Amino acid sequence: MTEQPHTGPEAAATRPALQVTDLHVTFPGEHGPVHAVRGLSYAVRPGEVLGIVGESGSGKSAAAQAVLGLLPDGTAVRGSVELDGQELLGLGDAALSRVRGNGISMVFQDPLSALTPVYSIGSQLVEALRVHQDLSRKAARARAVELLALVGIPDPRRRADAFPHEFSGGMRQRAVIAMAIANDPRVIVADEPTTALDVTVQAQILDVLRTAREVTGAAVVLITHDLGVVAGFADRVQVMYAGRPVEAGTVDEIYYRPRMPYTIGLLGATPRLDGPTGVPLTPVHGTPPSLTALPPGCPFAPRCPVAVPLCHETEPAPAQAVPREATVPTAGTATTAVTNASPVASATPDTSTTPTLPDTPATQVPPTTTAPAHAAACHRSEEIASGALPRAGLFAGVGGTPSDGGGTPAGFRGTGAGGTGSTGTGGTGSTCTGGTGPRSTDTGGTDTDGTGGTDTGGTDTDGTGGTDTGATATDGTGGTDTGSTATDGTCGTATDGTDPRRTGTGTNGTGTNGTATDGTGDTATDGTDPRRTGTGSTDAAPAGTPAALPPTDRAPTGANRTPQAPQQGVTQGRQPGTAHPAPAPPPAPAPPPAPAPPPAPTPPAAPPSPHPAILELEGLVKHFPLTRGTFVKRTIGTVRAVDGISLVVREGETLALVGESGCGKTTTLMEIMDLAAGQAGTVRLFGRDVRDLDRAARRALRRDLQIVFQDPTAALDPRMPAGDILAEPLRTHRWPKDRIAARVPELLETVGLAAADAGRYPREFSGGQRQRIAVARALALEPRLLVLDEPVSALDVSVQAGVLNLLDELKTRLGLSYLLVAHDLSVVRHSADRVAVMYLGRIVETGGTADVFAAPAHPYTRALLSAVPLPDPRKERARTRILLGGDLPSPADVPSGCRFRGRCPLYATLGAPEQRRCAQQDPPSRPVAPGHESACHHAAYGPDTPAAGG
């Protein structure tokens, strides 16, 4: 067990190791120049970590490659990049080669592509050393072995002769980091270094990066989309959107006091391991703008819930990530412009093919000469900073378009700040101030048509229905709106009594709420408004974070959603009366493992579930032969991919199957979808053993079993429009043409798309919209069970939230059951009712999600949960990581006894008799609590087990 304390920069007074000023990058494109980076400025000092975050396409990687001069020919680059005062832009390739890997180095996202497959790892390290240092081959070889040992490669002297394909993904990334630090660079640029890795390996890589920073004293620029990684590793953060830096500040300022709506939206859309269950996430609706045709004004204005006319007219100045006392050159400071050209190209660039860099727009606000410690490119940032525009609930209840699944359905209220959606006590269930019908505008007038468009219980100056900017809760409890225009809380009068947000009719609209707690009677003494999705002004959690629920408060299956059928394709808001308590204090750090106590009495078995089982696996086995030979193949071993697993999925529930890559999750799914007899064990679907089915019965059963794949781009035929993609399974099962014609637009509307989208091709949709089409295709035949294979892992966090909400709503509305495979345990915590943890072909722990996450019994489960980063800097600093040694063993060489013992942190603390038992006996699964089982000889019992997030 290794504790990872937060360490800030040690040389705060030194000059920046790397300073980027007003960087612009423009690529040539088919439809015009692509302005990938626009006015990026930052400075990072030795020993400091700057995190750069944003959605895909925001310009993060293009900016990193521009710093190292790695952009393709024809790219126009303008600005200034200084390494220890030396200007890098404009240098030739030979001069840059002396800098790359020496003064500044890079860790790429895909280590397999970064390493040469025909050279050994040691040879590549030796080459990197000898290019920049005067070393003999023997000395360079010895240094290469030292570097491999430093980054945690086991048996480095032998593994130095291995080739990249012989390393696992985590080991390859360690080798790339070793190469990056080989020459003690001043700056390390890490571009998504943990994106493709399992959570346990991610924790190891972040630990290696910390070691690299400590050993070299280098400044680190960390580019990532994972807000949890940044929270625990970075000192300062810069947020990018549409090629523009939109917010910059210290990690605490960005996470606890964000001033840019985009940042607030990212934090609110992120599922959290310590977050509440049964509460919809808050997606950022819409998609980023095209970088070839940016709209006027702020590029985020079309997606912003609090945009005003100025936002659509004038683009704010970029947010500059610089230390507090540093000054930044103004727009008039001399910068360098360079266009990457081929070495054999003419010295005079061809202006017909070279993109031109845009001049500073006349409507752009000029930057200041001294950058503040916390800057935001937002016209309303000061209102957000002062609290006049509350962060809590900023995105909740905001309308959207059918194409992005936005909006709040009629009949549901929003959760915006300023007492939105509160319930009056004078009327019969009447709703005032901020209940959002379809894009309602609260102007303080009277609702004369009864459609929910206008309320008198407060003035909504921005017209979104989500936030009453004139309302101020002076005591932090949401109790008194002193700035409200209707201090008596009158909800308005619906003359025809048909306001869809009210449960009563006729005269119930005139009830008086009074000025206390907006008419709901709810009071939170700790500064938390229980009616809001965010916390109060106590800064107990990052902005946009839902209030945490105790683990035992998880609603039963189907009970954590409203009984009403929500409007198709929209995100359902929280219902009246579902107030949440304030967050509980974080659990104490996990104690170090201790020798297991004597076996405890077997807990009573869980009571039988009232829901029938629709999928049952009993002792399922899938082994693959390991062969050798070209013409005559002979078996030399067996790959035990799935080695006797049993699990049950019940009607109306979501069962999550989690574990590291290579543990057998996908093989299990393929065995289920194949509907074949299999090698051993049984598969029962809807009470029928698949071994007893003939061809016709299997075909009929496939209607009730469908799958959603991980990558929607690969899963959808690019030659077919969306309508044909959805109609294909219907034609296969011989639906009549008239039913198909009616079903296709119905499916599109069900997943939040428009019927007119049927004629568009997959390439014309965003990633989130493509995944919605994949979900719609899976729903086409009205199945009962959906298999979800990493359904959101390829999506940005803002889009991911919308897809997860959609899946939750469809489950409730259509009575679906899900078998969910995911590596992101935060997604599992949000979506699953029960969880099964898989390791090397076996199930090692099963139970209710709340039970397993609160009190994991198996050491592997505890390690998985401890490795998940939290988007909360303070909690990340206080956490204790359990770093597993090594990688997942090969399923072709499964250890005897307990399969996990070679990596188990508990095994080393056991006495000799207990270790022999682990080495010789394969532990069976046994109950540790009602409904909670673990396959460990020394499974933890009771409430003292380290919980998730601790």
Side-chain angles (χ1 to χ4, degrees):
M1 231 180 244
T2 305
E3 185 170 355
Q4 306 295 349
H6 176 81
T7 58
E10 297 178 356
T14 60
R15 70 177 181 179
L18 177 67
Q19 180 150 349
V20 176
T21 305
D22 196 29
L23 181 66
H24 293 257
V25 176
T26 304
F27 298 102
E30 293 182 3
H31 305 290
V34 179
H35 306 297
V37 181
R38 304 180 301 119
L40 175 65
S41 298
Y42 64 80
V44 58
R45 291 191 169 117
E48 185 180 37
V49 179
L50 172 66
I52 301 180
V53 301
E55 292 176 286
S56 299
S58 62
K60 307 184 301 294
S61 295
Q65 293 176 27
V67 168
L68 278 85
L70 298 176
L71 293 172
D73 295 339
T75 306
V77 183
R78 186 186 72 189
S80 174
V81 177
E82 293 184 0
L83 176 67
D84 283 334
Q86 177 190 5
E87 179 61 53
L88 300 185
L89 287 190
L91 293 182
D93 188 65
L96 280 174
S97 294
R98 290 191 291 270
V99 174
R100 300 188 195 114
N102 189 17
I104 182 169
S105 61
M106 191 163 186
V107 178
F108 293 94
Q109 176 176 348
D110 183 6
L112 190 58
S113 300
L115 296 170
T116 304
V118 296
Y119 289 100
S120 68
I121 296 293
S123 298
Q124 296 183 59
L125 277 170
V126 167
E127 180 187 22
L129 288 163
R130 298 189 71 194
V131 162
H132 296 289
Q133 299 182 42
D134 184 16
L135 295 176
S136 66
R137 183 171 296 276
K138 181 178 180 180
R141 166 77 181 192
R143 176 60 178 159
V145 171
E146 291 177 6
L147 288 167
L148 291 177
L150 179 67
V151 298
I153 299 294
D155 195 4
R157 191 172 300 278
R158 180 178 64 87
R159 300 308 293 268
D161 295 323
F163 289 84
H165 71 273
E166 298 178 279
F167 274 29
S168 67
M171 291 175 67
R172 282 194 291 264
Q173 194 65 291
R174 290 167 186 260
V176 170
I177 294 174
M179 195 175 300
I181 66 175
N183 296 291
D184 294 330
R186 293 281 290 163
V187 179
I188 299 173
V189 179
D191 186 9
E192 299 276 9
T194 63
T195 297
L197 305 178
D198 288 308
V199 65
T200 52
V201 181
Q202 172 181 275
Q204 297 171 6
I205 295 303
L206 291 175
D207 192 53
V208 171
L209 281 174
R210 289 188 182 94
T211 302
R213 180 183 65 166
E214 293 168 1
V215 170
T216 63
V220 178
V221 178
L222 175 65
I223 298 169
T224 182
H225 69 279
D226 193 328
L227 295 174
V229 168
V230 172
F233 190 66
D235 301 299
R236 290 185 296 114
V237 181
Q238 186 167 51
V239 184
M240 292 191 68
Y241 182 80
R244 192 86 158 168
V246 295
E247 186 161 12
T250 66
V251 66
D252 281 19
E253 288 167 337
I254 297 298
Y255 280 75
Y256 296 114
R257 294 173 292 280
R259 300 179 183 178
M260 171 66 185
Y262 176 61
T263 309
I264 297 171
L266 286 181
L267 291 168
T270 304
R272 293 172 57 102
L273 197 66
D274 60 342
T277 57
V279 177
L281 298 171
T282 307
V284 181
H285 296 299
T287 57
S290 169
L291 296 178
T292 61
L294 288 166
C298 175
F300 187 63
R303 306 173 69 188
C304 182
V306 293
V308 294
L310 177 63
C311 301
H312 297 278
E313 300 168 358
T314 305
E315 183 172 16
Q320 302 170 1
V322 296
R324 292 181 181 272
E325 65 277 7
T327 58
V328 177
T330 61
T333 302
T335 57
T336 302
V338 57
T339 300
N340 291 358
S342 171
V344 297
S346 170
T348 303
D350 183 358
T351 57
S352 64
T353 59
T354 302
T356 57
L357 292 164
D359 294 328
T360 303
T363 57
Q364 179 178 303
V365 179
T368 57
T369 56
T370 302
H374 187 184
C378 177
H379 293 301
R380 308 195 67 182
S381 61
E382 292 304 319
E383 295 176 71
I384 296 174
S386 66
L389 191 60
R391 301 181 181 95
L394 193 69
F395 279 82
V398 179
T401 62
S403 64
D404 64 16
T408 302
F412 297 93
R413 63 171 183 178
T415 55
T420 57
S422 54
T423 304
T425 57
T428 307
S430 60
T431 304
C432 69
T433 66
T436 53
R439 286 192 178 274
S440 60
T441 303
D442 297 343
T443 59
T446 304
D447 186 354
T448 57
D449 60 359
T451 61
T454 305
D455 291 337
T456 60
T459 302
D460 186 347
T461 59
D462 57 16
T464 64
T467 304
D468 287 342
T469 57
T472 304
T474 56
D475 59 357
T477 64
T480 304
D481 287 347
T482 59
S484 173
T485 60
T487 56
D488 61 354
T490 304
C491 287
T493 304
T495 57
D496 59 2
T498 58
D499 188 333
R501 291 167 297 154
R502 300 174 180 173
T503 57
T505 57
T507 59
N508 68 357
T510 59
T512 300
N513 295 326
T515 58
T517 67
D518 296 334
T520 64
D522 290 331
T523 303
T525 57
D526 59 354
T528 303
D529 187 340
R531 292 162 295 141
R532 302 176 182 174
T533 57
T535 59
S537 58
T538 57
D539 287 342
T545 304
L549 285 173
T552 56
D553 283 353
R554 180 175 181 85
T557 302
N560 57 0
R561 307 285 185 261
T562 58
Q564 297 98 324
Q567 179 180 337
Q568 292 180 341
V570 295
T571 302
Q572 183 172 316
R574 193 167 66 241
Q575 297 305 298
T578 58
H580 298 310
T602 301
S609 172
H611 301 285
I614 62 173
L615 171 64
E616 298 174 87
L617 305 183
E618 293 183 7
L620 181 66
V621 172
K622 180 63 176 179
H623 293 172
F624 298 93
L626 192 62
T627 61
R628 177 176 295 172
T630 304
F631 299 104
V632 179
K633 295 186 180 294
R634 51 193 176 88
T635 301
I636 60 172
T638 300
V639 177
R640 298 160 68 178
V642 178
D643 205 18
I645 70 169
S646 300
L647 55 84
V648 176
V649 180
R650 300 196 175 275
E651 186 177 40
E653 78 168 0
T654 299
L655 174 68
L657 189 61
V658 303
E660 295 171 284
S661 300
C663 69
K665 305 187 300 295
T666 300
T667 303
T668 300
L669 297 191
M670 294 302 101
E671 285 297 289
I672 294 171
M673 297 300 299
D674 193 36
L675 297 182
Q679 295 173 339
T682 59
V683 178
R684 290 189 183 88
L685 271 169
F686 315 111
R688 304 181 66 182
D689 193 328
V690 298
R691 294 176 299 183
D692 302 331
L693 301 178
D694 57 19
R695 183 174 179 178
R698 281 192 173 87
R699 181 186 179 91
L701 196 61
R702 290 191 189 281
R703 289 197 296 265
D704 291 328
L705 174 66
Q706 293 293 314
I707 187 169
V708 177
F709 291 100
Q710 175 178 355
D711 184 1
T713 302
L716 302 177
D717 191 334
R719 301 167 298 177
M720 297 173 64
D724 288 350
I725 290 173
L726 298 182
E728 185 178 29
L730 303 176
R731 296 191 187 104
T732 300
H733 286 266
R734 299 176 182 176
W735 281 40
K737 291 184 178 180
D738 57 338
R739 287 190 65 193
I740 294 176
R743 181 64 171 158
V744 168
E746 177 187 343
L747 288 168
L748 288 169
E749 292 172 0
T750 296
V751 298
L753 299 173
D757 292 331
R760 298 168 61 191
Y761 288 84
R763 66 178 180 272
E764 301 177 74
F765 293 94
S766 68
Q769 290 171 331
R770 282 194 290 266
Q771 193 64 296
R772 288 174 182 265
I773 294 172
V775 172
R777 183 177 62 180
L779 296 174
L781 296 170
E782 301 176 348
R784 297 167 60 190
L785 173 64
L786 281 188
V787 175
L788 308 174
D789 186 9
E790 301 275 10
V792 296
S793 64
L795 305 178
D796 284 310
V797 64
S798 59
V799 180
Q800 172 183 284
V803 174
L804 290 176
N805 286 348
L806 172 68
L807 292 172
D808 286 347
E809 292 170 11
L810 293 174
K811 173 185 166 184
T812 302
R813 190 196 318 170
L814 304 179
L816 298 172
S817 302
Y818 295 148
L819 176 58
L820 169 66
V821 167
H823 72 277
D824 189 336
L825 295 182
S826 298
V827 170
V828 171
R829 175 76 166 83
H830 171 80
S831 300
D833 301 293
R834 292 192 303 116
V835 62
V837 183
M838 198 168 183
Y839 184 82
L840 209 57
R842 288 281 183 88
I843 301 294
V844 298
E845 186 162 4
T846 58
T849 303
D851 297 331
V852 171
F853 278 56
H858 198 282
Y860 179 59
T861 310
R862 294 201 292 274
L864 283 179
L865 293 173
S866 81
V868 178
L870 295 175
D872 189 318
R874 294 172 189 163
K875 288 188 176 181
E876 276 295 289
R877 293 171 204 150
R879 294 180 76 195
T880 299
R881 296 269 190 244
I882 302 175
L883 298 181
L884 296 180
D887 297 298
L888 188 76
S890 169
D893 187 18
V894 176
S896 63
C898 175
R899 301 168 183 229
F900 184 59
R901 63 183 171 84
R903 305 172 70 196
C904 181
L906 179 62
Y907 180 79
T909 68
L910 300 175
E914 289 83 2
Q915 287 188 344
R916 281 195 301 271
R917 184 185 181 194
C918 292
Q920 297 172 2
Q921 300 179 20
D922 193 359
S925 182
R926 59 193 179 93
V928 295
H932 187 177
E933 296 186 353
S934 176
C936 178
H937 294 304
H938 311 286
Y941 286 86
D944 294 333
T945 306

